[in-house]
Amino acid sequence: MSEFKFFQLGLTVLGASFAACLLIVLSQKWHGSLSHDHDLDGVQKVHTTAVPRIGGLGVFVGLVLGFLCFQHQFGGSTNTSLAREIYLLVAASLPAFVAGVVEDMTKRVSVKMRLAATALSAVIASALLGATVNELDLWGIDTLLAITPFAVLVTAIVVAGGSNAINIIDGFNGLSSSTIIIMAAGLAAVGFQHGDGLVVTLGALGIGATLGFLAVNYPSGKLFLGDGGAYFLGFWVSEMAVLLLVRNPSVNAWQVLAICAYPVIEVLFSMYRRKVIQKVSPGAPDALHLHTLVFRRLVFKHVRPDAARPWKRNAAVACVIAPAVAVCVTTSVLLGASAVVSLVIVGVQLVMYVLAYGRLVRGRWIAGQASRIDAEMSADAKMR
C-alpha cells in the first residue's frame, strides 16, 4: 500500500475505535455493575470515581471493524495474503484479549493465568504466522534459538513479558496509550525503511485503534483501557517487534529493544526492586513505579489542584513521560541500524531510568518537600 493508504487505514480504524469506546461510555448505566472499576482504594489507584475499565473491548472491536470497513471501501489496496495474515494475528490474540476482558469483568483472573493466556497467543501466532524469534544478537542464545521448541518458548516469554509490561505502566490517563502509539510508530517506521508492508499495516491498525480510545480516555479518564486492552495492545506491539525481526534479518534485535525499552525497563526494574531490595513477591502491587513517583514528586509540586478539573494532575503524568519516550524511540529509529549504537541507546535509557528513579524516590527534586506533598495528596483526594 502507498503511504496515503496507510494513513487512510489508520484514520478508518481510529473512527471505528472512537465510536466503539464512546458507545461504551454512553451505555455504562446498563453494564456498569460489571464493567466499572469500583476499587478506589487499591495501592495503585489514583482515580476517585467508578469508571468503565473495558476500553480494550472498544479497541479490539474498533480495530477489526475498522479494517473490515477499509477493505470494503478500498478493497484493492490490501492483497489477500496481507489481509489473511492480519486476521490470523487477530485470531491469535484472542486468548490474551479474552483473559484480560474476563478479569476486567470479574476481577478473578490471576496474573499467572493472564500471562499463560498471552503466552498461548504467542504460540498460536508462531504456528500461524511463523512469528518465532530466531535471533537476538546474543552470543550463545542465538545458537539455541536454532532449536525450534526453545525458540517458541523464548518467543512466548518475550511476548507475554512485553504484554505484561504494558499492563504495568497502565496507571494514569493516556500513559500506556501514548507509549503504545509511540512504540508502534517506531516499529512501523523501521518496517517502512525495510519495505515490510505487513509491519507497517499492523502499526497503522494499532495506532488508529489506540488513538480512538485515547480520544475518549484523555485527559479526563472517562474510560480505562483495562487488562483486556493492555494485554491485547501489548500483544499486538510485541508481535510487531517479533515479525519485524523474523521478516527482516537485517534489523538487529537491539534496535527493537531500544524502541520498546521504557516498559521493558519498568517491569524488569520493578521485579528486581521487589525481589532483591524489598524481599517481597515480584508480582506484588505497589505505588513505587516510575510513573507513580512522577505523579507524587513532580506533578503535585508543579500542577495546582483544580476542583473543576480533578483529573488534571492525573493527566499530567503522560505529559512528562511520553515526550521522553518519543525522544528515545525517535533516536532509536534514526540511529539504531547498528547493533552497537542500539546497545548504547538501550544502556543510556537504562541509566536515565535508574538516575531519575533514584532522585524521585528520595524526593531530591523537590527540596525536601516530600512529606508536605504527600499530605497535600491526601487532602486533594478528600476534596475530590
Side-chain angles (χ1 to χ4, degrees):
M1 291 194 295
S2 65
E3 294 93 328
F4 183 66
K5 290 299 181 183
F6 287 126
F7 177 77
Q8 285 182 313
L9 173 60
L11 199 60
T12 303
V13 174
L14 187 160
S17 176
F18 175 75
C21 290
L22 187 60
L23 181 61
I24 291 172
V25 173
L26 295 177
S27 62
Q28 61 182 297
K29 66 179 180 180
W30 290 294
H31 56 73
S33 59
L34 284 175
S35 66
H36 276 175
D37 188 353
H38 295 283
D39 179 13
L40 307 181
D41 300 317
V43 67
Q44 295 177 324
K45 306 295 184 178
V46 294
H47 59 287
T48 57
T49 58
V51 174
R53 53 175 287 173
I54 54 172
L57 187 60
V59 169
F60 183 88
V61 170
L63 188 149
V64 174
L65 287 183
F67 185 60
L68 285 170
C69 291
F70 179 81
Q71 277 192 295
H72 178 74
Q73 188 69 25
F74 308 101
S77 300
T78 54
N79 60 55
T80 304
S81 176
L82 178 62
R84 178 178 175 274
E85 289 175 313
I86 290 169
Y87 288 123
L88 287 175
L89 187 60
V90 170
S93 74
L94 287 175
F97 171 66
V98 171
V101 171
V102 172
E103 161 62 13
D104 292 331
M105 293 288 198
T106 67
K107 317 299 188 291
R108 294 179 180 177
V109 183
S110 68
V111 174
K112 290 182 179 179
M113 287 297 296
R114 280 173 273 156
L115 286 174
T118 309
L120 175 60
S121 286
V123 172
I124 295 172
S126 177
L128 297 179
L129 293 165
T132 308
V133 174
N134 50 31
E135 187 174 354
L136 289 175
D137 295 314
L138 291 171
W139 183 84
I141 299 297
D142 287 350
T143 302
L144 293 174
L145 288 173
I147 305 171
T148 301
F150 181 79
V152 172
L153 176 63
V154 169
T155 302
I157 293 173
V158 167
V159 173
S163 302
N164 186 56
I166 295 299
N167 193 45
I168 290 292
I169 65 170
D170 185 27
F172 291 90
N173 298 343
L175 178 57
S176 62
S177 303
S178 58
T179 301
I180 289 164
I181 291 167
I182 294 166
M183 293 193 307
L187 293 170
V190 176
F192 185 79
Q193 292 171 352
H194 290 80
D196 193 328
L198 174 60
V199 172
V200 180
T201 302
L202 295 178
L205 289 167
I207 292 168
T210 309
L211 277 172
F213 163 78
L214 189 61
V216 179
N217 165 261
Y218 194 83
S220 56
K222 296 184 181 299
L223 178 66
F224 292 160
L225 192 59
D227 285 27
Y231 278 97
F232 171 67
L233 288 174
F235 171 81
W236 196 264
V237 173
S238 297
E239 287 296 335
M240 281 183 66
V242 171
L243 288 167
L244 182 61
L245 289 174
V246 171
R247 294 163 57 89
N248 304 279
S250 59
V251 176
N252 70 83
W254 289 102
Q255 183 177 28
V256 172
L257 178 58
I259 291 171
C260 303
Y262 163 54
V264 173
I265 292 173
E266 176 66 54
V267 72
L268 291 177
F269 184 79
S270 296
M271 291 172 64
Y272 164 78
R273 169 173 55 79
R274 291 165 177 164
K275 185 68 175 178
V276 177
I277 299 177
Q278 297 173 289
K279 309 296 184 184
V280 298
S281 169
D286 61 29
L288 290 174
H289 294 293
L290 179 66
H291 50 267
T292 311
L293 293 174
V294 168
F295 179 69
R296 293 169 63 90
R297 304 304 195 202
L298 287 182
V299 170
F300 262 74
K301 177 186 178 184
H302 297 288
V303 181
R304 293 181 179 179
D306 188 339
R309 293 176 292 177
W311 40 260
K312 187 167 68 172
R313 282 176 161 174
N314 185 311
V317 175
C319 296
V320 175
I321 295 179
V325 174
V327 169
C328 293
V329 170
T330 301
T331 303
S332 304
V333 171
L334 296 178
L335 305 178
S338 163
V340 174
V341 174
S342 290
L343 178 59
V344 171
I345 295 172
V346 172
V348 169
Q349 290 187 71
L350 177 60
V351 170
M352 288 172 57
Y353 178 97
V354 173
L355 290 177
Y357 189 94
R359 297 198 64 168
L360 284 169
V361 80
R362 295 176 179 85
R364 291 181 181 175
W365 273 332
I366 55 173
Q369 300 178 71
S371 297
R372 179 187 64 78
I373 288 177
D374 288 343
E376 186 183 345
M377 284 180 64
S378 299
D380 183 66
K382 292 177 181 177
M383 177 187 72
R384 289 180 288 172

